[in-house]
Amino acid sequence: VAAPKRVNRDDLISTALAVADREGLDAVTIRRVAQYHDVTPMALYRHFRDKEGIFDAVIERLLGRVPLPVRDERPWYAQMHDLLSGLVTTLSPHPNAAPLVFSRILTTTPGLDITERTLALLCDSGMPVDQAAETASQTLSSLVALVIAEPGRGGGPEPDEADIEARKAALLALPEDRYPHLVAAADSFSHGASQEVYYRRGVDLIVSGMREAHRPQDLITG
Amino acid sequence: VAAPKRVNRDDLISTALAVADREGLDAVTIRRVAQYHDVTPMALYRHFRDKEGIFDAVIERLLGRVPLPVRDERPWYAQMHDLLSGLVTTLSPHPNAAPLVFSRILTTTPGLDITERTLALLCDSGMPVDQAAETASQTLSSLVALVIAEPGRGGGPEPDEADIEARKAALLALPEDRYPHLVAAADSFSHGASQEVYYRRGVDLIVSGMREAHRPQDLITG
DNA sequence: ACCTGAACACCGTTCAAGT
DNA sequence: ACCTGAACACCGTTCAAGT
């Protein structure tokens, strides 16, 4: 006879994440995850309320891996940079799962912790809470977008070298009179620089924007 | 007898977008769209290669509405602000469709036009093309994220007043010692300020970040 | 050229039933 | 407490066929 307890919740979450990573979000199916564990689809309903519940658990696990650095005496923006870098570093290996994060930042315990910390740092900077809430929300969402849009990824399943070359070729084939910059930058759009540089610049972009957000006057519209 | 041409491509796109707006992306189904036009599901395959093709067309239409302002003599960042404001203004009525944009910015003609213009403005600012490509990609993706994460939306179908109140109540019920800022800002997270302020601040955040991106030295990590 | 009908291989989810 | 089996109402997509 087999073991009484056939499936374990944590293992189910792991395979759901693994399937998302390898084959995209659409491939994550109750029936498929069940099959990986040699179990009937219905068995999963003992562990999750429904399919959304599986996704909730996946994101809860991912966000739970984001380190909350100990507070120190450095300026708020330096600490913010560390926090946000931790977020992108944690999410970047799982771009297919990243879209699930948007709706779960405020519904998941580790998501609330990350938001609270972001809020605290912004308030330390002197920003009023209301604006800080808006900025925190925009910031965290933008970082998720960075992971989704990482160069060399179409948004679907794992792209191989051929896909990347095809993308590059498509850009290079564009009419150069209409898209001069795009053609010139075809290389950067397809593979881009290193992941590390991409994410450092992305976090810098956001944190720099935050630092400017204190001056209420409209500096931008010329 | 009925008219020979039963369905029109543009109308199909319209109903796909309308269904997405009203009931969420998952409700957009070939069978459902067909039914709205009193036609067999198979009829749609004369007009689109597959379901992805419908989504491609929806995003192509949306991005085609984004105005490309005429170039003028104002500084690059003022023009950038206008361009990006046009993008968010165009997308914000369609938050459910927004996630489809990520993978289609570089595969759709109006998306390429928007990217080319963004790139041109960044290059005008003196940024090298490679970095400009990265920044353009990050920027456009971040703005899409702003639309997806607009306060008072869970990410699913259209939330009514009750949903918003429930969200707010959930935040207010949080332990205040662990989440002091979050509880204080519950109001901003649920309905937030006006849409207009939200998007203006969001665009400002990004454009301000761009203006800082020229100084290569690391100003941030304390 | 455009649409239909029947069929196939999949979904998520319910319900009642087993052990 | 945990899992199964059968069933239901849906999917996207193919193929051959109609007009």
Side-chain angles (χ1 to χ4, degrees):
Chain A
V1 314
K5 203 195 221 166
R6 306 274 287 275
V7 289
N8 162 286
R9 193 184 138 98
D10 283 346
D11 292 344
L12 292 170
I13 298 172
S14 296
T15 86
L17 180 56
V19 171
D21 289 344
R22 282 198 303 262
E23 310 177 48
L25 220 42
D26 290 344
V28 180
T29 267
I30 288 185
R31 294 175 118 102
R32 205 117 113 67
V33 172
Q35 202 176 330
Y36 270 96
H37 290 264
D38 277 308
V39 124
T40 266
M42 294 311 98
L44 301 216
Y45 284 82
R46 289 293 133 184
H47 301 278
F48 306 98
R49 212 168 63 80
D50 55 12
K51 198 185 175 184
E52 283 293 288
I54 300 180
F55 287 149
D56 292 344
V58 167
I59 297 309
E60 181 157 32
R61 169 181 295 185
L62 281 184
L63 293 181
R65 293 181 188 163
V66 176
L68 290 180
V70 288
R71 302 281 323 244
D72 57 32
E73 297 308 317
R74 289 141 70 224
W76 68 270
Y77 49 84
Q79 298 184 57
M80 183 72 80
H81 197 275
D82 287 352
L83 175 65
L84 301 182
S85 295
L87 177 62
V88 295
T89 299
T90 304
L91 292 183
S92 69
H94 308 283
N96 292 342
L100 300 173
V101 175
F102 288 120
S103 56
R104 290 168 176 88
I105 300 184
L106 292 178
T107 61
T108 237
T109 305
L112 290 169
D113 289 334
I114 295 166
T115 307
E116 172 67 21
R117 176 64 67 91
T118 306
L119 225 38
L121 290 171
L122 283 171
C123 287
D124 279 9
S125 81
M127 190 181 279
V129 255
D130 288 331
Q131 192 181 341
E134 220 173 57
T135 302
S137 175
Q138 293 173 341
T139 295
L140 298 174
S141 301
S142 293
L143 294 180
V144 172
L146 249 51
V147 174
I148 295 175
E150 193 189 329
R153 299 199 342 102
E158 202 153 345
D160 51 11
E161 195 61 40
D163 289 331
I164 294 182
E165 282 309 311
R167 280 173 79 78
K168 182 173 159 188
L171 291 178
L172 286 174
L174 254 29
E176 203 169 348
D177 54 327
R178 185 171 175 182
Y179 302 109
H181 301 85
L182 217 32
V183 173
D187 217 72
S188 302
F189 276 110
S190 38
H191 14 312
S194 72
Q195 258 212 151
E196 192 198 326
V197 172
Y198 173 81
Y199 284 114
R200 181 169 52 68
R201 282 194 189 140
V203 173
D204 283 355
L205 182 79
I206 302 292
V207 177
S208 298
M210 286 175 169
R211 294 183 68 178
E212 296 299 313
H214 295 88
R215 325 186 190 171
Q217 17 9 351
D218 198 353
L219 294 171
I220 286 170
T221 307
Chain B
V1 311
K5 203 193 219 168
R6 306 273 286 273
V7 289
N8 162 287
R9 192 185 138 98
D10 283 345
D11 291 344
L12 292 171
I13 298 172
S14 296
T15 85
L17 180 55
V19 172
D21 288 344
R22 281 199 303 265
E23 310 177 48
L25 220 41
D26 290 344
V28 180
T29 267
I30 287 184
R31 295 176 117 102
R32 206 115 113 69
V33 172
Q35 202 177 329
Y36 271 95
H37 290 264
D38 276 309
V39 123
T40 268
M42 294 311 97
L44 300 217
Y45 284 83
R46 289 293 133 184
H47 302 278
F48 306 98
R49 213 167 62 80
D50 55 12
K51 198 185 175 185
E52 284 293 290
I54 300 179
F55 288 149
D56 291 346
V58 167
I59 296 310
E60 180 156 32
R61 169 180 294 184
L62 281 184
L63 293 181
R65 293 180 188 162
V66 176
L68 288 181
V70 289
R71 302 281 323 242
D72 58 31
E73 297 307 318
R74 289 142 69 224
W76 69 270
Y77 49 87
Q79 299 185 57
M80 183 71 81
H81 197 274
D82 288 352
L83 175 66
L84 301 183
S85 294
L87 176 63
V88 295
T89 299
T90 305
L91 292 183
S92 69
H94 308 283
N96 292 341
L100 299 173
V101 175
F102 288 120
S103 56
R104 290 170 175 87
I105 301 184
L106 291 178
T107 61
T108 237
T109 304
L112 289 169
D113 289 335
I114 295 166
T115 308
E116 172 67 22
R117 177 63 67 91
T118 307
L119 225 38
L121 291 171
L122 283 172
C123 288
D124 278 9
S125 82
M127 191 181 279
V129 255
D130 288 331
Q131 193 182 340
E134 219 173 58
T135 302
S137 174
Q138 292 173 343
T139 295
L140 298 174
S141 301
S142 293
L143 294 180
V144 172
L146 248 52
V147 175
I148 295 175
E150 194 189 329
R153 302 198 340 102
E158 203 154 344
D160 52 11
E161 195 60 42
D163 288 331
I164 294 181
E165 282 309 310
R167 280 174 78 79
K168 182 174 158 187
L171 290 177
L172 286 174
L174 254 28
E176 204 170 347
D177 54 327
R178 184 171 176 182
Y179 302 111
H181 301 84
L182 218 31
V183 172
D187 217 73
S188 303
F189 276 111
S190 38
H191 12 315
S194 73
Q195 256 211 150
E196 193 199 325
V197 172
Y198 174 81
Y199 285 114
R200 181 171 52 67
R201 280 194 190 143
V203 173
D204 282 355
L205 182 79
I206 301 293
V207 177
S208 298
M210 286 174 168
R211 293 182 69 178
E212 296 299 313
H214 297 87
R215 327 188 188 169
Q217 7 24 339
D218 197 353
L219 294 170
I220 286 168
T221 306

